[in-house]
Amino acid sequence: MSTESPETANRYWAGFDLGGTKMLAKIFDSQYKTLGKKRRKTKGHAGVELGLERMVQTIHQALEEAGLTPNELAGIGVGCPGPLDLENGIIFEAPNLGWYNAPVKEVLEKAFGCPVVLCNDVDAGVYGEYRFGAAKGSTSAIGIFPGTGIGGGAVYRGHLIQGSKSSCMEIGHIKVLPEGPECGCGQHGCLEVLASRLAISAAAAQAAYRGDAPTLRSMVGTDISDIRSGILASAIKGGDRSVEKIILRAAEYIGIAAGNMVHIFSPEVIVLGGGLVEAMPDLFVPAVAEATRHNVMPTFKDSFKVVAAQLGDDSSVMGVAAWARTVIQETKSLNNETKV
């Protein structure tokens, strides 16, 4: 039986996904049916103040499409990049946006008059898959999302694993090769520097330059910025065995990191997401699953499954709306208990 209070159970929820290039707002009913949405370019270069105004406008436009007013919102969840102050709702630093100390919670609560909950964007995506997608029905799940970097998140019994004041689960910075290349974080041999889409593209560009990936070279040459996930998949289909080997090596490194997480967390489901997985799920997912099982104790080999994310862009925006609802309701319950 739900313990949700009447004032939130039958009202509406907003989810907001703040990305480096686009922002997406969606309005949901209590069953997470989409009632309105608005997608816009982020234009982070315009600065924090204008960026926050743009967020407010985007939510208003999503509400207008839904035929709702701000006072009908029970809460807003915002998925954000960068280090966050979760308690005060501040983005400390979002380098891709050029934002520092952005008071997201303060601005949105003033504009809409309802509670606002911030969440790391990858955490939001993992929570979305846990509630509505590939990990639905599980007790515990971790997510690994290789992209320009490698993001990660974990959910246990309905709750995100978070630090005391900020997000955690920096899976991309698990050390898998101690004497490996230097990572952007300053450490050596992090998963991110070995298995991100950027690392894969760099290795593929070298292969193309050497003449070992003729299909890739004929498509885009050797410019790393042009070697996206779909291009890598096409190169493999075109017969570039060297590119396939690079992908499989990256999957092996991810399996080492995932194996470490299995020993620590024992998840039922490991969700792989992001453009790289979407472009070649039949190659990438089984390879990570095999590598993970190779790197765990025998007791754990059959304790989990590895799956591809199912929700795409919806994972973050649905996930953060659902997480906001969880946090807001639990806060209300706690406050009521304190009063008693």
Side-chain angles (χ1 to χ4, degrees):
M1 180 180 295
S2 172
T3 59
E4 187 161 11
S5 60
E7 65 266 27
T8 59
N10 297 313
R11 291 173 67 192
Y12 304 97
W13 302 86
F16 194 97
D17 182 19
L18 177 65
T21 57
K22 59 91 179 169
M23 56 176 63
L24 172 65
K26 282 196 173 187
I27 309 300
F28 301 98
D29 66 12
S30 60
Q31 302 303 311
Y32 298 100
K33 176 184 176 182
T34 300
L35 304 178
K37 63 180 180 179
K38 180 64 178 179
R39 183 191 301 266
R40 304 175 76 188
K41 291 182 179 179
T42 301
K43 296 186 178 180
H45 57 82
V48 171
E49 186 174 345
L50 289 176
L52 292 174
E53 286 181 14
R54 197 168 178 81
M55 291 176 69
V56 171
Q57 293 166 1
T58 304
I59 296 171
H60 272 301
Q61 289 169 334
L63 280 168
E64 288 173 10
E65 184 177 288
L68 299 172
T69 59
N71 62 11
E72 293 178 275
L73 281 177
I76 301 171
V78 184
C80 307
L84 309 174
D85 178 341
L86 297 176
E87 185 176 348
N88 296 304
I90 295 170
I91 300 176
F92 282 134
E93 180 181 359
N96 289 339
L97 299 175
W99 291 10
Y100 298 89
N101 298 316
V104 176
K105 178 181 173 73
E106 179 185 342
V107 169
L108 295 187
E109 286 187 343
K110 183 177 179 181
F112 295 98
C114 65
V116 173
V117 175
L118 262 65
C119 178
N120 173 268
D121 51 359
V122 179
D123 281 346
V126 175
Y127 195 73
E129 293 292 341
Y130 173 84
R131 288 290 304 273
F132 311 108
K136 184 178 180 180
S138 65
T139 299
S140 58
I142 66 171
I144 303 175
F145 288 64
T148 304
I150 296 184
V155 186
Y156 181 72
R157 296 188 182 277
H159 284 78
L160 280 167
I161 304 299
Q162 295 178 311
S164 59
K165 294 184 178 180
S166 63
S167 60
C168 55
M169 299 305 295
E170 290 286 353
I171 289 173
H173 298 287
I174 288 178
K175 190 167 289 192
V176 295
L177 193 65
E179 303 302 322
E182 184 175 2
C183 179
C185 73
Q187 301 298 312
H188 287 262
C190 293
L191 179 64
E192 186 167 293
V193 77
L194 295 165
S196 65
R197 199 269 306 159
L198 185 60
I200 290 169
S201 295
Q206 291 179 43
Y209 183 83
R210 292 193 305 265
D212 294 336
T215 301
L216 178 64
R217 184 164 184 164
S218 67
M219 287 191 295
V220 295
T222 59
D223 189 337
I224 295 175
S225 63
D226 292 331
I227 303 176
R228 312 294 295 180
S229 298
I231 294 294
L232 291 165
S234 296
I236 292 171
K237 288 180 181 178
D240 283 351
R241 176 62 180 157
S242 63
V243 176
E244 183 176 355
K245 287 181 178 178
I246 290 167
I247 296 291
L248 293 175
R249 184 167 66 243
E252 185 174 352
Y253 285 127
I254 290 174
I256 294 172
N260 289 333
M261 294 305 302
V262 168
H263 288 143
I264 293 169
F265 189 64
S266 189
E268 288 180 54
V269 183
I270 298 171
V271 181
L272 303 177
L276 196 65
V277 178
E278 291 174 6
M280 52 192 93
D282 294 340
L283 174 65
F284 205 81
V285 175
V288 172
E290 181 181 354
T292 305
R293 291 190 174 91
H294 181 71
N295 284 283
V296 297
M297 296 166 57
T299 305
F300 291 102
K301 287 188 184 294
D302 298 317
S303 67
F304 60 89
K305 61 180 179 179
V306 180
V307 298
Q310 295 177 350
L311 301 177
D313 287 347
D314 278 345
S315 63
S316 291
V317 74
M318 288 184 73
V320 80
W323 178 242
R325 185 175 180 177
T326 296
V327 172
I328 290 166
Q329 181 56 35
E330 289 185 352
T331 301
K332 286 180 180 291
S333 298
L334 183 62
N335 288 341
N336 289 338
E337 289 175 8
T338 302
K339 290 176 184 177
V340 172

